[in-house]
Amino acid sequence: MRERITFVHDDPGFDPEALDIQQAGLLGPLIDTARQDRLTFAFDELPDDLADLVKGFNALHVRWASSLQYETLDPFSSRISPGLHISYSPSQSHENSLTKLCHWLQRFGPMACMTPESFTESNGDESSAASTFYFYHALEDLQSFVASTSQDFCPELDSICQARLRSLYTAAALDLTFDATPNTIQVNALWTLRSQTVTAPASDGRRTEVGIFVKNTPPTIKAHELGVAGVVTVLGDQKKPSPTIFTFPSRHRRVDSDFTSKFLTPTGLHPTLQLSVSSSQSPDRDAQCSPFVYLTLPKSIFADRYQLADELFLASKNLTESRYTSLPVDLEAPAYTTDSWGSRVLLELAPPSPEQDQSWTAEIPLHLRYLEPSLTGEVEIEVPYPAVFWACSSDVEDLSNPFDRVHLGYDELFERQTIFWHVTPQPTSGKRLVSPITVPVLNERGADWIGVGTAAAVSLGFAWVLWKLVSAMLFSGSQKSAKTSKNVEKK
C-alpha cells in the first residue's frame, strides 16, 4: 500500500524549518491549507468482500461530494454535484456483480439500486467501446460509511487508523476508483481550504509521501500547466524535507467567478432553474471556450429533451444547445413508478458579449413528476447544485497529472484535450449547495374521499347509462306492442 498526503496553501512565507519529522510521523504548524490524502491498494491487499466485488467490473468509480459549500485551491478545483455518484463498466464475468455492488453500497446508507433499471446507461467514451452504467443517490455525509468501513480496514487497537477514518466526517469529497488494467484501487479524500494543522502519521505497513506546496509560476510555464513549489518528505526515509519545484498539465482549473442556483417563483409543476453567474469573461482568450452546466437530476424532476431541441426557445433562456441527456427519461410516469435513479443533462450556455465583463443569468426549464400523497398536500424536495464550468479546447494530447481526477460524468462527454475551468458554487442562503422546491401533491386526508367519490361517480354514471339502456329497450318494446295491437284491430 502506498500513501500520498498533499497540502496546498497560498502562504508564500511558510517556513519548512517549522516541520518536525520524527519516527511517528510529520508535525507542522497551523496554516490555511487544502489537503488531499491518496491511498493506493494492490489487489491482494484488499479485504475479501471488496476484492470479490471488483472482479465483476472492468472499471468502478464511486464519487461523493459534500452538500456544504467549500473553498479550495488548484489543483483540487474539479467539481461534481453534491451526493453519491456511481459509475461502472462490467467485465465479461459480471454475473451477480450488480447485486454485490448494491449490497456493498448499503454501507453508505439505504439506497434502491438492486435492479438494472435503477441505473442509466451511456455509450463509452472515445477510448472505450464499452457501455457505462450510472447511478446517483442524495447523501449528506459519510457517517454510515465510516462506521461500517472501520471494521474492515482498521484493527481494533489501531487508534491512528480509526482516527483517520473519523476525519472523513469533515471531508469535502471522497473518491474510490478501481481499474482492472493496473488492478489497483485508489482512494482519494479532500479536505477544504481551512485552518488546519500540517500533520501526517507514519506506518510500517505503507510508504507515505508528504508534499507541502504553494502556487508557483516559473518563467517557462505553459498555458495548460500549473506550477507549485515546496517540500517533499518520505516518512521513515528522510529526516529533513527536500525542496522541489515542478510544473504539470492540468485538465481542471479554477476560474475567478462564482454562481448561484435557485428556482424561480411561483414554481408550479413546471419550475425554472435560474443560474446566476458573476462573470461573462472567458478564462482563456487564446482558446475556444464555451460555458456549460451539468445537471444531476433525481427522479422527482426531469428536463424534456424535446423542449430543449427548440433553438429559439433556448436562445430566450440564454442557452445554446442541449449536448447530452441520459436515457431513458419517461415524460409521463410518476416518481413512485419510475425505476431509474433520475437523469443527467449537459447544456451549453449562451453568455453575453465577452467584451464587457458582467454578471448574467441562464434559465433551465424543468418538469416535476407526480409524487406520493402527503398529510399536508405538499412535499419538499432538493435538487443538488449543478457543475458549472468553461470548456476550452487545447492541442495537448496528455493532460494527466499527479492530482488528476477523472470519470466525473461530464469529462467523458468532451474530447480528452478539453480543459475545464470551474466556476465556484455559492449557496443562495445558508451553507448547503442545494436548491429546494415545494411540490404540490395529493392530500392524504382527502385521498380516501376522492376514492369514494370517484367510485360513487362511476357507479352513478354506470347506473344512469344502464337506466337509459333499459328505458330505451322498454320504450322500444312498448312501441312494437302498440303497433302489433293496431294491426290486429285493422284486420
Side-chain angles (χ1 to χ4, degrees), residues 202-244:
S203 173
D204 295 334
R206 61 181 179 272
R207 180 185 186 274
T208 301
E209 180 182 281
V210 183
I212 306 170
F213 304 116
V214 67
K215 186 177 180 181
N216 180 266
T217 307
T220 57
I221 194 171
K222 299 178 181 178
H224 64 277
E225 292 181 329
L226 288 173
V228 294
V231 293
V232 175
T233 302
V234 178
L235 300 184
D237 292 347
Q238 298 176 257
K239 295 183 178 181
K240 287 189 177 182
S242 302
T244 183

Side-chain angles (χ1 to χ4, degrees), residues 64-140:
W64 174 81
S66 172
S67 63
L68 297 178
Q69 187 269 343
Y70 67 90
E71 298 291 337
T72 187
L73 297 172
D74 288 331
F76 308 133
S77 53
S78 61
R79 297 272 184 169
I80 58 175
S81 293
L84 186 67
H85 305 250
I86 299 99
S87 63
Y88 72 86
S89 297
S91 66
Q92 294 181 351
S93 58
H94 66 284
E95 185 178 0
N96 298 324
S97 59
L98 180 57
T99 301
K100 294 178 181 178
L101 173 61
C102 191
H103 278 304
W104 187 85
L105 290 174
Q106 303 307 311
R107 60 180 62 218
F108 287 95
M111 62 185 73
C113 56
M114 195 61 70
T115 64
E117 291 76 20
S118 302
F119 291 73
T120 55
E121 181 180 1
S122 61
N123 294 328
D125 60 17
E126 60 183 8
S127 66
S128 173
S131 294
T132 300
F133 297 85
Y134 197 92
F135 182 84
Y136 169 82
H137 178 74
L139 185 66
E140 194 70 16

